[in-house]
Amino acid sequence: MSDAPTQDLAAYFAQGDALEAPDGACLFRPGDEGRAFLIVKSGAVRVEQTNSAGRTVVLYRVEAGDSCVLTTTCLLSGKPYSGYGYAEGAVTAVAISANRFKSLLASDNQFQELVFRGFAARVGELTDVIDDLLEHRTDLRLARWLARRGKGQLRMTRQELAQELGTAREVASRTLKSFERRGWISISRGSVDILKPDALEAYGNAL
Amino acid sequence: MSDAPTQDLAAYFAQGDALEAPDGACLFRPGDEGRAFLIVKSGAVRVEQTNSAGRTVVLYRVEAGDSCVLTTTCLLSGKPYSGYGYAEGAVTAVAISANRFKSLLASDNQFQELVFRGFAARVGELTDVIDDLLEHRTDLRLARWLARRGKGQLRMTRQELAQELGTAREVASRTLKSFERRGWISISRGSVDILKPDALEAYGNAL
DNA sequence: AAAAACTATGTGACAGTGTCACTTACATAG
DNA sequence: CTATGTAAGTGACACTGTCACATAGTTTTT
């Protein structure tokens, strides 16, 4: 994925309009039309899906150099977005209009490759989310999620953590508490300190 | 989707090798390498995902004229398949080798469009599955699923029905029973007869 | 045709999730 | 220092997913 030389991207940055968004800004929401193809230059975009009942799950993050499948899907199918996109950190991106997108896609093989690679990577992440949602043991899912972050402090609320996994705040709360009792993490208002990622990893993958 | 003239496809049928599979055959399984791009000519391919615990959900079906994202993703990323593909009905398909796929993609805009359209459609289906899995009320999900089929008899076991939704056989069993008590369906070994799709629809979308 | 061997279903118990309706703690703007 | 809003904890409870079997249709074998 990251073997895409960032220099190559520079050529496309010139093809579109610069776009900036502050931390936390909403870049798109369900119902919006996909108007432009987005390539992220800095910061990240957190893409979430919320179902009719209001339950939310994080699908993936679009980091610098990546593009967003949902956006591409919307451009290609003409359907509106089905999820939300929020800026994480100050985001700078390049927006390439639908028309230019289509002509680049038809003429530039390298651009095509860029788009496809992004597509393939995201589809993989979507199937990972499905895999994870099929597992109903939230404690195992949370343990694995925390283990993946590795040792260190996470500044996020229980609510945000719950949304990463597509579960409820109360459940995240209870589960974190049980992990703290075991000494694997230390929690306080608005933050979780991961102390023993290995223990969490082992717990998350236990039979 | 179906506005893709099937005549256009005929041109690509000549580019690859014919492939046939009987009803129920397994076309690919997790770990297999994506060796060729597949376009389905007749029959359908049911694509499923099974997580480590063995719980399975149907991701989507690839019908005549469609291609499979998982396959495309594998070809493009070089990673093995993450799901299963089974023939539903006698399947005939055309397999286009990875090399020819890449050269067609680079040279033929219409082929590109075909691939992209397939991609966009499947991604939409994947996000639908995620949407559905976020809803934990299995009775509502099952009601909606049945309502979508419309009136008529379905020849499938509880186990198969459960896998469509990514739930357990016992749960599907119980829930079907409760629908039968309400007179919405009639069940027997290996089949479900949908009597009142409207009632199921209403129940499935109730607050 | 009767027995054996499958395959599909039904059941009751139980742990664990998700939801509700509040309560309790922090944090910060006046 | 109080008010006001945001974050987190709680106990009760319905519902799912799982287990361990009990049953009941189907096919194969003798």
Side-chain angles (χ1 to χ4, degrees), chain B residues 7-30:
Chain B
Q7 299 95 288
D8 291 357
L9 291 176
Y12 305 117
F13 289 168
Q15 303 270 343
D17 301 319
L19 188 147
E20 293 192 24
D23 187 29
C26 178
L27 299 177
F28 54 81
R29 58 182 69 246

Side-chain angles (χ1 to χ4, degrees), chain B residues 2-203:
Chain B
S2 58
D3 50 359
T6 1
Q7 299 95 288
D8 291 357
L9 291 176
Y12 305 117
F13 289 168
Q15 303 270 343
D17 301 319
L19 188 147
E20 293 192 24
D23 187 29
C26 178
L27 299 177
F28 54 81
R29 58 182 69 246
D32 283 3
E33 294 291 331
R35 273 161 315 207
F37 178 71
L38 296 178
I39 304 178
V40 174
K41 290 168 74 175
S42 65
V45 178
R46 182 181 73 251
V47 178
E48 303 179 346
Q49 177 140 14
T50 300
N51 78 351
S52 52
R55 162 70 52 66
T56 294
V57 67
V58 173
L59 297 180
Y60 51 80
R61 287 181 166 76
V62 184
E63 314 271 352
D66 287 338
S67 61
C68 171
V69 228
L70 273 198
T71 301
T72 316
T73 302
C74 292
L75 273 182
L76 292 166
S77 67
K79 289 183 188 163
Y81 283 99
S82 61
Y84 290 88
Y86 295 101
E88 288 196 330
V91 167
T92 57
V94 178
I96 297 176
S97 72
N99 284 337
R100 180 152 293 159
F101 173 76
K102 285 187 180 169
S103 82
L104 271 174
L105 202 58
S107 63
D108 185 333
N109 290 343
Q110 210 161 24
F111 183 72
Q112 216 184 89
E113 170 119 10
L114 168 77
V115 173
F116 266 117
R117 198 174 26 225
F119 237 137
R122 288 320 147 233
V123 168
E125 287 170 312
L126 289 182
T127 60
D128 285 349
V129 169
I130 291 174
D131 221 86
D132 214 46
L133 286 175
L134 277 179
E135 159 91 71
H136 283 250
R137 292 281 304 273
T138 309
D139 54 344
L140 303 184
R141 303 212 291 127
L142 180 54
R144 290 197 295 261
W145 193 93
L146 292 170
R148 235 175 289 140
R149 306 289 121 170
K151 208 161 184 157
Q153 196 188 42
L154 273 176
R155 298 221 119 268
M156 60 196 306
T157 67
R158 309 295 130 93
Q159 176 69 54
E160 287 165 345
L161 198 41
Q163 294 196 357
E164 288 288 331
L165 302 177
T167 185
R169 178 186 60 79
E170 295 93 320
V171 179
S173 227
R174 277 183 215 150
T175 313
L176 285 174
K177 197 133 234 202
S178 88
F179 289 168
E180 188 181 43
R181 273 195 293 272
R182 296 170 206 234
W184 298 341
I185 63 174
S186 148
I187 55 182
S188 58
R189 185 187 171 94
S191 86
V192 177
D193 208 337
I194 301 172
L195 304 174
K196 300 185 176 171
D198 296 349
L200 287 163
E201 168 90 40
Y203 180 78

Side-chain angles (χ1 to χ4, degrees), chain A residues 127-197:
Chain A
T127 60
D128 285 349
V129 169
I130 291 174
D131 220 87
D132 214 46
L133 286 176
L134 277 179
E135 159 91 73
H136 282 245
R137 292 282 303 274
T138 309
D139 54 344
L140 303 184
R141 304 212 290 126
L142 180 54
R144 290 196 295 261
W145 194 93
L146 292 171
R148 233 175 291 139
R149 304 291 121 170
K151 207 160 184 157
Q153 196 187 42
L154 273 175
R155 298 221 118 270
M156 60 196 308
T157 67
R158 309 295 130 93
Q159 176 67 55
E160 287 165 343
L161 198 41
Q163 294 196 355
E164 288 289 332
L165 302 177
T167 185
R169 178 184 59 79
E170 295 93 320
V171 179
S173 229
R174 279 182 213 149
T175 312
L176 285 173
K177 196 133 236 202
S178 87
F179 290 168
E180 188 181 43
R181 273 195 291 271
R182 296 170 206 233
W184 298 341
I185 63 174
S186 147
I187 54 182
S188 56
R189 185 188 171 94
S191 86
V192 177
D193 208 337
I194 301 172
L195 305 174
K196 299 185 177 171

Side-chain angles (χ1 to χ4, degrees), chain A residues 19-103:
Chain A
L19 188 147
E20 294 192 23
D23 187 30
C26 177
L27 299 177
F28 53 82
R29 59 182 69 245
D32 283 4
E33 293 292 330
R35 273 160 315 207
F37 178 72
L38 296 178
I39 305 177
V40 173
K41 290 167 72 175
S42 66
V45 178
R46 183 180 72 250
V47 177
E48 303 178 346
Q49 177 140 12
T50 300
N51 79 349
S52 53
R55 161 71 50 69
T56 295
V57 66
V58 172
L59 298 180
Y60 51 79
R61 288 182 164 75
V62 184
E63 314 270 353
D66 287 339
S67 61
C68 172
V69 230
L70 274 199
T71 301
T72 316
T73 302
C74 292
L75 273 182
L76 292 166
S77 68
K79 289 184 188 161
Y81 283 100
S82 62
Y84 289 89
Y86 294 102
E88 288 197 328
V91 166
T92 58
V94 179
I96 297 176
S97 73
N99 284 337
R100 178 151 295 159
F101 173 77
K102 284 185 181 171
S103 81

